[in-house]
Amino acid sequence: MTSISTVTPANAGEPLAAWLQAAFEKAFGEAAQDTRLRVLPSTDPSFGDFQCNDAMGLAKTLRLPPRTIATRIVEALDTADAPATANIAGPGFINLAVTPGWLAGQLAALADDARFGLPDIGGGRTIIIDYSSPNVAKPMHIGHIRSTIIGNALDRLYQALGFKVIADNHLGDWGTQFGILINGFRAYADPGRLRDAPIEELERVYRESYARTEKDPEWLDACRAELVRLQQGDPDNLALWRQFIDLSLREFNRIYERLDVTFDLYRGESYYNDQLAATVALLEERGLARESEGALVVPLDDEGMPVCIVRKSDGGYNYATTDIATVLSREAEFQPDRIIYVTDERQQLHFRQFFAVCRKLGCTTRLEHVWFGLMRLPEGTFSTRQGNVIRLDALLDEAESRALAIIRESSPGMPEEQQQALARDIGIGAVKYADLSHDPQNMIVFTWDRALALDGNSGPYLQYAYARIRSLLDKYAEACPGCDPAKAPLLLQEPVERQLALQIMQYPATVVRAAENCKPSLLADHLYALSQLYSSFYQRFPILKADPAIRDSRARLCTLVARVLREGLGLLGIATPERI
RNA sequence: AGGCCAGUAGCUCAGUUGGACAGAGCACAAGAUUCCUAAUCUUGGGGUCGCGGGUUCGAGUCCCGCCUGGCCUACCA
């Protein structure tokens, strides 16, 4: 159950819904008991601030014209200290225009709440989020960015809502590719290149070795032999394997640092290696697995899915086995409430299958696959073979250098070091926002200009709005020493000021919705709308030069916009520099 | 062949339990800076919401059929 935070309800319309609900019950008695009226922000400011559409839906059950229902609700409203005026429009919409006093009071209550209205939904329960998960000995490319950025945003969102989040990087650090790599490494690796660009070198070695397996059977056998030796624990091969992981992690961590992404665990597939046999034994014990064409499979006809292979015909285990063992291990160690996997869309069937197997084993953890559309290039799918992969570090480099060019032009006086730090925040912010502002499930066609856009609906637009507020508030402090905007009464007179207040008040509900739907884009949209309102307000109305009471109120409104932007962008993992 | 997803303005995309004349950004056109950061703001044109049925007081949203595109469909992950 959702527990409501200290002062402010998560949905800004809730107090109004309660007000309408009381009138509804007064007017209709028992007939009203089973329904709860909902109040949502208006779809158009000209209708008012909030609206309730439920009278139309109730027409059937109450057997009355919707307009009559709406009228009777409105007539029964408690008018003493009413938070809003209500009127009926169209077939039975109840439009609510809230009083300035109510609006100011609600906003002030939100401002005084330490959690800014975010409810503690988690109550300390544990969620494991499994994301990023690149393959060892291969460079991270733009195909990894969505999992990393979306996963990290979910990490931050759930933490903000009171969950204990364990971010687990389930590295691809085990499997047949290591036989090819070890054998190739001994034959082809160049120490100099390995020192200068380790991952490129490992990748080159792998490609060369792999190519040879296709035309040289003896080579292929040698690779297989190395793999067997590794799996049997041969010290030399293990040492090499550890070196590959070590080199890869160093490279990955450089990128994670640039992206401000951190993990609580780095448990690759190899971590579960010694649990695979027991996992399969358990499946057999429970009578869930059977032989088929030499492999061991779990039939899933009852779920309408093809069989799930848990042991290959050569006796080896595959990813399904590892994933099942991973769930069992996580349940035993962490007792998580949920496990969320963030991967691309191609793995949907695999996840549905192994989730089903887990349920058959009696797992009670809520397992969830958050999938996202594959990123592709305008000319088609990117692929290693065609060499049209865009490496993640190259993307980030380009993002930063584009940002730096603009900063040098617009802020030539800024110290070089500060320009570069700013370019990092803005460039990385642009890349992250370009991803997070889209619904994860939509495919993204990658173009440099779109991924690195610095105007319009972009990360820098939001960062710019924030920096302008900071600058303005500094000037306010100078102009009015000793003034505390937090104590100023809120006078929300202009329509755009009311809209700003309403938008801010929807922030907690938006965070909840973004987390529950695993769609950070919902929060990104909200922050963009807030920035648009603010930019319009800023451009059209004086703040520092307004009459003192108005000036102080507007300064306070600015502090609240800044707070939402800083905290909201923070939940998306996007930095908010104080100066641009 | 079956499954999942998508199809909304020239382009990229939003669009809470079905709700009021379908919204942004980019691009295009015209304007705004002696004044709090113009990476901004204001105004304008522009859409048979893939097609056809159905349910409903009401459908971009739900149901059925079709068209187009992407991905998946047993020993890669």
Side-chain angles (χ1 to χ4, degrees):
Chain A
M1 285 307 292
T2 303
S3 60
I4 299 304
S5 80
T6 44
V7 243
T8 316
N11 187 329
E14 266 176 46
L16 300 171
W19 184 53
L20 284 187
Q21 183 77 24
F24 182 40
E25 287 174 13
K26 187 173 155 199
F28 290 93
E30 276 183 25
Q33 294 296 328
D34 297 334
T35 16
R36 283 198 52 84
L37 298 182
R38 288 187 49 173
V39 172
L40 295 170
S42 285
T43 52
D44 188 314
S46 65
F47 298 144
D49 303 309
F50 292 90
Q51 60 181 325
C52 173
N53 302 337
D54 295 330
M56 275 95 72
L58 289 163
K60 254 167 283 177
T61 48
L62 296 179
R63 300 168 140 211
L64 284 170
R67 238 188 127 95
T68 305
I69 297 170
T71 306
R72 283 173 60 180
I73 293 174
V74 169
E75 281 171 353
L77 281 169
D78 182 2
T79 52
D81 210 17
T85 56
N87 62 71
I88 299 159
F93 295 101
I94 301 175
N95 288 329
L96 300 172
V98 299
T99 66
W102 183 85
L103 190 59
Q106 292 290 308
L107 189 57
L110 184 63
D112 292 339
D113 180 14
R115 289 178 53 81
F116 212 74
L118 296 186
D120 180 2
I121 296 175
R125 284 175 300 167
T126 297
I127 293 185
I128 296 174
I129 306 183
D130 185 320
Y131 69 94
S132 196
S133 309
N135 288 322
V136 161
K138 289 182 189 165
M140 286 180 83
H141 53 76
I142 57 167
H144 296 108
I145 198 174
R146 302 204 77 187
S147 176
T148 307
I149 290 176
I150 293 167
N152 184 249
L154 294 178
D155 183 344
R156 294 165 186 265
L157 283 167
Y158 278 106
Q159 280 192 53
L161 294 173
F163 288 91
K164 177 178 189 292
V165 178
I166 300 174
D168 190 0
N169 197 347
H170 194 69
L171 301 166
D173 65 355
W174 200 249
T176 52
Q177 73 268 30
F178 285 97
I180 297 169
L181 191 57
I182 288 171
N183 200 36
F185 187 85
R186 295 209 168 100
Y188 302 128
D190 177 310
R193 288 196 217 176
L194 194 64
R195 194 181 49 242
D196 298 337
I199 302 303
E200 279 87 335
E201 180 61 0
L202 290 182
E203 197 197 13
R204 184 190 68 83
V205 164
Y206 176 81
R207 274 209 305 266
E208 209 156 314
S209 181
Y210 180 80
R212 189 160 163 192
T213 58
E214 298 200 312
K215 47 192 177 233
D216 182 349
E218 283 181 34
W219 182 263
L220 181 59
D221 286 342
C223 291
R224 284 185 179 142
E226 295 300 350
L227 179 66
V228 171
R229 270 199 282 282
L230 174 67
Q231 288 169 338
Q232 288 168 343
D234 173 80
D236 291 343
N237 280 10
L238 270 179
L240 264 187
W241 172 71
R242 289 207 183 93
Q243 192 190 342
F244 299 154
I245 292 174
D246 192 50
L247 290 171
S248 297
L249 272 180
R250 236 178 276 173
E251 184 106 343
F252 296 158
N253 282 329
R254 260 202 296 278
I255 288 176
Y256 291 140
E257 201 173 319
R258 294 179 79 176
L259 291 173
D260 192 20
V261 166
T262 55
F263 294 93
D264 302 294
L265 295 174
Y266 286 84
R267 286 190 184 167
E269 292 160 17
S270 66
Y271 179 88
Y272 305 94
N273 203 31
D274 59 6
Q275 297 165 37
L276 301 181
T279 301
V280 169
L282 183 64
L283 287 167
E284 289 183 297
E285 215 173 277
R286 299 279 177 85
L288 295 171
R290 64 170 171 78
E291 292 274 331
S292 170
E293 298 173 33
L296 192 71
V297 304
V298 177
L300 296 170
D301 322 290
D302 50 339
E303 307 262 358
M305 284 185 280
V307 298
C308 181
I309 296 177
V310 293
R311 191 177 63 212
K312 300 188 281 184
S313 51
D314 67 3
Y317 303 107
N318 61 0
Y319 53 101
T321 327
T322 310
D323 281 335
I324 295 161
T326 302
V327 169
L328 297 178
S329 167
R330 285 170 174 168
E331 277 202 331
E333 187 173 351
F334 302 111
Q335 298 87 44
D337 205 56
R338 288 164 79 177
I339 303 176
I340 296 175
Y341 297 83
V342 186
T343 83
D344 71 65
E345 61 186 331
R346 292 175 302 184
Q347 303 190 37
Q348 287 176 80
L349 179 59
H350 161 64
F351 278 100
R352 287 206 297 134
Q353 285 181 304
F354 106 77
F355 287 174
V357 175
C358 289
R359 280 195 300 273
K360 285 178 189 289
L361 279 172
C363 293
T364 52
T365 307
R366 182 173 155 198
L367 302 170
E368 213 162 335
H369 181 213
V370 175
W371 56 266
F372 53 84
L374 216 53
M375 192 170 302
R376 62 190 65 252
L377 299 171
E379 55 267 35
T381 316
F382 59 86
S383 77
T384 324
R385 247 183 245 157
Q386 292 169 10
N388 62 355
V389 190
I390 293 169
R391 292 180 44 136
L392 201 39
D393 50 3
L395 173 70
L396 301 182
D397 288 347
E398 177 73 16
E400 291 181 11
S401 69
R402 287 191 188 206
L404 186 58
I406 291 173
I407 292 164
R408 282 184 172 144
E409 201 175 317
S410 61
S411 310
M414 189 182 278
E416 173 70 17
E417 203 170 310
Q418 196 183 340
Q419 286 181 333
Q420 290 190 359
L422 192 53
R424 281 195 287 277
D425 284 346
I426 292 179
I428 302 295
V431 169
K432 285 191 174 188
Y433 187 86
D435 198 325
L436 292 172
S437 60
H438 291 96
D439 185 321
Q441 298 194 346
N442 279 343
M443 179 186 88
I444 285 187
V445 176
F446 178 90
T447 65
W448 288 101
D449 286 335
R450 225 174 284 141
L452 305 177
L454 302 175
D455 58 357
N457 187 359
S458 71
Y461 178 91
L462 310 197
Q463 290 171 321
Y464 181 66
Y466 177 78
R468 284 205 295 190
I469 299 175
R470 297 307 331 168
S471 168
L472 181 119
L473 289 173
D474 284 351
K475 292 215 163 72
Y476 174 79
E478 275 175 38
C480 185
C483 287
D484 181 3
K487 294 200 171 69
L490 287 159
L491 308 168
L492 307 168
Q493 296 171 337
E494 298 295 338
V496 70
E497 291 180 280
R498 292 173 63 87
Q499 286 174 44
L500 272 172
L502 291 165
Q503 185 73 12
I504 292 167
M505 282 161 55
Q506 275 305 120
Y507 171 72
T510 306
V511 172
V512 171
R513 226 155 54 85
E516 284 181 344
N517 294 296
C518 292
K519 286 184 195 297
S521 57
L522 296 174
L523 177 56
D525 286 347
H526 178 269
L527 298 176
Y528 178 58
L530 178 66
S531 302
Q532 278 181 307
L533 284 172
Y534 178 76
S535 294
S536 177
F537 165 64
Y538 175 87
Q539 203 80 19
R540 284 158 52 200
F541 298 97
I543 297 165
L544 299 180
K545 287 174 182 155
D547 293 340
I550 300 291
R551 176 198 62 190
D552 295 346
S553 166
R554 287 181 176 166
R556 186 174 186 190
L557 193 56
C558 286
T559 64
L560 297 177
V561 174
R563 185 164 168 194
V564 172
L565 287 178
R566 190 183 63 242
E567 293 190 12
L569 285 171
L571 293 181
L572 298 178
I574 295 173
T576 40
E578 302 285 302
R579 287 284 174 279
I580 287 182

